[in-house]
Amino acid sequence: MQYRTISNGTTSFEVSTLCLGTMFFGTRTDTATSLEILDRFADAGGTFVDTANNYNAWVGGHGRDSEDVLGEWIRRRGGLGEVRLATKLGAAKKDPALPLQNVEPTNFQGLSAEVVAREARLSLQHLGIDRIDVLYGHVDDRETPLAETVGAFGQLQREGLVGISGISNVALWRLVEAREEALRQGVDPYGVVQQGYSYVYPSPAAGRTNDVSADMLDYVAAAGVEGRPPLTITAYSPLHQGAFTRDDKPMWAPMRHASNRERVRVLHDIAAEIGATPNQVALAWLLGGAVPVIPVVGISTVAQLEEALAAADLVLDPEVRARLDAADLVLDAEMRARLELA
């Protein structure tokens, strides 16, 4: 296992470069299997675990099922030890009688000061801990004044209930404004941003703000200096729920384009050449980038975990990385040539 430091400029701690995602622990992944995965991750040196207060509401649970499983695991092992725990708030059901969905009306609780204060404390109760290492706003809330949301997270940090705050599914300009607002208020800014990010990328679309962009990578690379505190990217869905290796798991619609088909083909070719799996190569590509990110790997079996763990120490040769990076560029050149011939 490898490790890196995350920080907001005031609070810093070390985490493993692989983060264990526990999205459906307690529902699709039964409690016994979930506990086995957690034990194996910790035994392998994993020290970063990610959850949320709403995940299992998507699949028939009450929402905090994964927090409850983590709470049981923490009690069994007598505390977190070296493990750092992240959870999220703001995207649980505002009205319990209505469905939770990604399209309007989303029925999300949002990030008002009242919601942030209440839901953070409920997470502490379900997890059975007295401090959340990383607390994210799960989705951006443009209806609540940014100053109110930033102040609410700052208050939790002042009270010692949260170590580092973060935000997820956010436009870059909103992230920058929120961090500037924190500095104006004299509170710690977001030190982590969690976005969708993987070896494949979505087709451009107006209003799509939940993915890592080139500009966001550039902004993060420029952080960590005076006036611009450190910032770390954590990447969800780095393996697209198995879509790199399973025909029955198609990628999301925005990912289904010619460039990504070429990238996946090259991913498989390189994996076969170096004796790794496509998933391991995809994770190693993220871990070894010019702006390294922390993949949040959703795991439902111990076998999946073992595959992901092997990627933590996989270092891609420069020429291999160059081939991966250029895969879609080669395709674009071929398409341009065909157009010119036509």
Side-chain angles (χ1 to χ4, degrees), residues 42-327:
D43 288 345
T47 62
F48 202 10
V49 178
D50 182 273
T51 190
N53 71 347
N54 75 323
Y55 278 148
N56 291 276
W58 296 105
V59 292
H62 60 75
R64 293 184 182 273
D65 309 67
S66 57
E67 286 189 338
D68 289 338
V69 169
L70 282 164
E72 180 177 342
W73 182 66
I74 293 165
R75 288 191 298 274
R76 285 189 178 194
R77 71 197 307 263
L80 280 167
E82 297 298 314
V83 174
R84 300 292 184 170
L85 185 59
T87 192
K88 308 177 193 70
L89 54 77
K93 288 185 178 184
K94 183 176 183 179
D95 183 343
L98 297 177
L100 196 62
Q101 54 193 20
N102 284 323
V103 296
E104 295 294 339
T106 59
N107 194 29
F108 293 150
Q109 289 178 326
L111 298 176
S112 68
E114 178 187 359
V115 167
V116 171
R118 182 187 70 237
E119 295 300 312
R121 286 169 172 80
L122 285 172
S123 286
L124 288 167
Q125 292 174 24
H126 281 261
L127 293 164
I129 56 180
D130 56 14
R131 174 185 166 98
I132 298 168
D133 294 304
V134 178
L135 180 65
Y136 296 95
H138 203 158
V139 291
D140 191 19
D141 177 5
R142 298 194 184 188
E143 295 181 5
T144 298
L146 196 57
E148 179 180 340
T149 299
V150 168
F153 278 99
Q155 180 60 30
L156 290 173
Q157 290 172 112
R158 276 194 297 263
E159 293 177 36
L161 300 180
V162 170
I164 297 175
S165 65
I167 188 68
S168 182
N169 299 303
V170 67
L172 176 58
W173 70 269
R174 291 278 292 178
L175 171 64
V176 174
E177 286 199 359
R179 280 166 49 91
E180 291 296 321
E181 175 61 26
L183 296 179
R184 285 191 290 270
Q185 292 188 24
V187 300
D188 291 332
Y190 295 143
V192 190
V193 57
Q194 186 171 125
Q195 301 280 100
Y197 189 39
S198 74
Y199 176 60
V200 296
Y201 56 88
S203 299
R208 184 177 175 87
T209 60
N210 56 331
D211 296 292
V212 171
S213 65
D215 283 343
M216 182 172 287
L217 289 169
D218 189 41
Y219 176 66
V220 170
V225 298
E226 186 175 352
R228 200 181 305 122
L231 181 64
T232 299
I233 294 173
T234 58
Y236 68 77
S237 297
L239 302 177
H240 288 274
Q241 292 77 48
F244 291 153
T245 58
R246 292 177 55 179
D247 292 336
D248 62 327
K249 291 280 189 176
M251 285 189 284
W252 300 331
M255 302 290 179
R256 298 175 204 156
H257 53 78
S259 290
N260 278 346
R261 288 193 289 274
E262 176 67 5
R263 285 174 83 82
V264 172
R265 184 190 69 77
V266 172
L267 183 71
H268 278 254
D269 286 350
I270 287 175
E273 291 170 17
I274 68 175
T277 68
N279 286 337
Q280 289 166 346
V281 175
L283 290 174
W285 180 85
L286 284 171
L287 290 166
V291 182
V293 304
I294 297 177
V296 181
V297 186
I299 297 295
S300 59
T301 67
V302 174
Q304 289 176 358
L305 176 61
E306 296 294 350
E307 180 185 22
L309 288 172
D313 295 316
L314 177 61
V315 178
L316 301 176
D317 291 339
E319 69 173 77
V320 168
R321 175 170 288 279
R323 283 175 60 195
L324 289 165
D325 290 343

